[in-house]
Amino acid sequence: MKYKIIGSLMFLYGLMLEGETCKIAFRLDDIQDFWLGEAQRQVIDKFVTYDVPLTIGVIANFFGSDPQIVSYLQNVTTNYPIEVAEHGWNHEDFTHYSYSEQYNKLNQSRFRIRQSLPQADLVTFIPPFNAFNAETLSAMSDLGYTHLSSSVGIDSGPFSNTKPIYHYPVGASTDSFNNNPVGVPASRTLEQIQTQIQTYGWSVVMLHPQEFNNNTTMLFELSILLEQVRTLGCSLCLLRYMHLPPDIFPEGPFPCVSTSGQSTQTGTTGSTGLTGLTGTTGSTGSTGSTGSTGLTGLTGTIGSTGSTGLTGTTGSTGTGKGTTGTKGTRVGVTLAGASTIRPDEESSANVVEAPLRWIVLVMLYLYFFM
Ligand SMILES: [Zn+2]
């Protein structure tokens, strides 16, 4: 009898894991004219390069007069999975305004942005300061906006996430998350992503151009982050598609990008191959550990910088990545050590699944034949 109960429970748990999917969206706030234009473009270019969907929040009244950023956005939002979202008329706190004032701001913002980006669908609203209230939701709904992205500190759920307004608040960031846009290592952002996924089943990551301005280290960290999210086994989506089941093809041109958690375990995919490179320079990684500098370990390819301790604080990420490489290419061994992102944390569901299936099979055998 006890076998029957245990077997049934294990089987149900197995089914639960089989059906599990996670989603990740990125949003870049404060897009506007004549302001950190190079940083804005550099960040967006990274997402294009790594084929990761990105939603950009445009401040409507500060946009449309800078030919450089306008023509750049006309190109990338047409040809790549870059979604244009609204981020206020003057970057104002919407909770200070009545329903009709909020309605007018949303409406004129959409009109203004479409003057420069006529193809922009504009169904997502990123409220400035992440602040919104019931009137915001009503005005959005009445204007046909469908997606709101605040932050988990303000909008913590639980959400039914059904029409008319879907809530996808930010729970991770590339900055220090205290209104002080100083960049943080990719490892920290990844931890926040994984924490939010554990709670919500999905994660939204916030970026600002400020933390990447004249900052090659942070641009490099962004590359690491975009490589690493491809190993988590989650779908990467525009905010506007976060609510869709994985098998539903959206009406728009850029569906979610599915990534394989398998790559984390087996190293058979291209992205893990890159990790393999890390492994080869793993010996430098040990240098990293000396000076709490591990950036070295992190990227292998620039292992030589390890001795310089260039960006030491990010070492932990690198080590995690090196570990991944090990399995793929059998060369990352030397990167062992102070890993804060263990492989089992990177895609726990996938790691658990294989042995679990065997346990379920054994339990079923006991159930039927004992
Ligand atoms: Zn903003």
Side-chain angles (χ1 to χ4, degrees):
M1 182 61 189
K2 69 180 176 185
Y3 290 129
K4 288 183 183 178
I5 294 169
I6 294 171
S8 303
L9 286 175
M10 295 297 285
F11 187 61
L12 284 173
Y13 183 49
L15 281 179
M16 227 168 65
L17 285 180
E18 288 284 347
E20 202 168 57
T21 57
C22 50
K23 288 184 176 173
I24 302 171
F26 289 84
R27 67 171 230 215
L28 173 63
D29 293 3
D30 296 349
I31 295 299
Q32 57 191 288
D33 290 346
F34 307 115
W35 180 75
L36 307 185
E38 190 181 3
Q40 294 187 49
R41 291 190 297 274
Q42 284 174 324
V43 171
I44 294 169
D45 281 346
K46 287 283 183 200
F47 285 82
V48 170
T49 301
Y50 285 91
D51 191 26
V52 174
L54 170 70
T55 298
I56 57 170
V58 177
I59 305 172
N61 196 28
F62 303 165
F63 178 71
S65 305
D66 180 347
Q68 264 195 314
I69 193 72
V70 168
S71 64
Y72 172 80
L73 289 183
Q74 280 169 345
N75 174 31
V76 293
T77 60
T78 306
N79 297 309
Y80 302 99
I82 310 292
E83 174 193 10
V84 181
E86 206 226 296
H87 191 46
W89 174 248
N90 282 321
H91 202 276
E92 62 276 84
D93 183 337
F94 269 53
T95 63
H96 295 166
Y97 297 93
S98 67
Y99 163 83
S100 58
E101 288 168 328
Q102 293 193 43
Y103 181 99
N104 290 336
K105 285 178 183 299
L106 284 169
N107 201 19
Q108 68 183 356
S109 294
R110 179 186 264 171
F111 182 78
R112 169 65 66 83
I113 293 170
R114 281 184 180 159
Q115 284 181 319
S116 303
L117 303 172
Q119 81 287 358
D121 208 12
L122 285 163
V123 295
T124 301
F125 180 43
I126 300 170
F129 312 105
N130 293 312
F132 70 99
N133 57 21
E135 283 71 34
T136 316
L137 299 176
S138 300
M140 284 177 65
S141 172
D142 292 343
L143 284 164
Y145 284 83
T146 52
H147 288 65
L148 174 86
S149 182
S150 173
S151 74
V152 292
I154 292 172
D155 195 21
S156 60
F159 313 113
S160 58
N161 263 353
T162 54
K163 284 186 174 182
I165 304 295
Y166 299 98
H167 294 238
Y168 286 99
V170 152
S173 177
T174 54
D175 73 22
S176 49
F177 238 145
N178 57 2
N179 294 324
N180 183 18
V182 174
V184 299
S187 57
R188 181 154 158 202
T189 310
L190 276 165
E191 284 170 9
Q192 293 168 344
I193 290 172
Q194 288 167 317
T195 300
Q196 191 179 14
I197 287 174
Q198 281 166 12
T199 307
Y200 294 88
W202 43 262
S203 178
V204 180
V205 188
M206 177 175 67
L207 303 88
H208 287 91
Q210 296 97 305
E211 62 249 24
F212 301 95
N213 186 37
N214 292 323
N215 193 331
T216 51
T217 302
M218 272 307 292
L219 285 167
F220 180 72
E221 290 293 323
L222 181 57
S223 298
I224 299 301
L225 179 64
L226 297 180
E227 269 183 34
Q228 288 281 331
V229 293
R230 287 187 151 278
T231 68
L232 299 179
C234 300
S235 295
L236 310 176
C237 301
L238 298 174
L239 271 170
R240 62 176 303 176
Y241 296 142
M242 284 288 276
H243 64 293
L244 294 176
D247 54 337
I248 300 287
F249 200 78
E251 291 170 13
F254 298 113
C256 298
V257 174
S258 55
T259 67
S260 171
Q262 284 292 317
S263 63
T264 307
Q265 298 171 55
T266 63
T268 52
T269 70
S271 58
T272 315
L274 264 175
T275 314
L277 279 177
T278 316
T280 54
T281 45
S283 52
T284 327
S286 57
T287 312
S289 60
T290 19
S292 66
T293 65
L295 175 58
T296 325
L298 176 111
T299 53
T301 47
I302 55 144
S304 55
T305 54
S307 56
T308 69
L310 178 72
T311 52
T313 52
T314 48
S316 51
T317 311
T319 328
K321 200 175 173 215
T323 311
T324 305
T326 309
K327 292 189 178 176
T329 62
R330 300 191 190 92
V331 289
V333 183
T334 47
L335 280 178
S339 168
T340 54
I341 301 180
R342 298 189 301 274
D344 58 334
E345 289 174 339
E346 286 179 344
S347 63
S348 53
N350 289 304
V351 172
V352 170
E353 264 182 36
L356 189 70
R357 284 201 196 93
W358 284 107
I359 294 169
V360 170
L361 282 174
V362 170
M363 289 302 177
L364 286 173
Y365 174 82
L366 292 171
Y367 174 82
F368 287 113
F369 300 108
M370 298 289 287

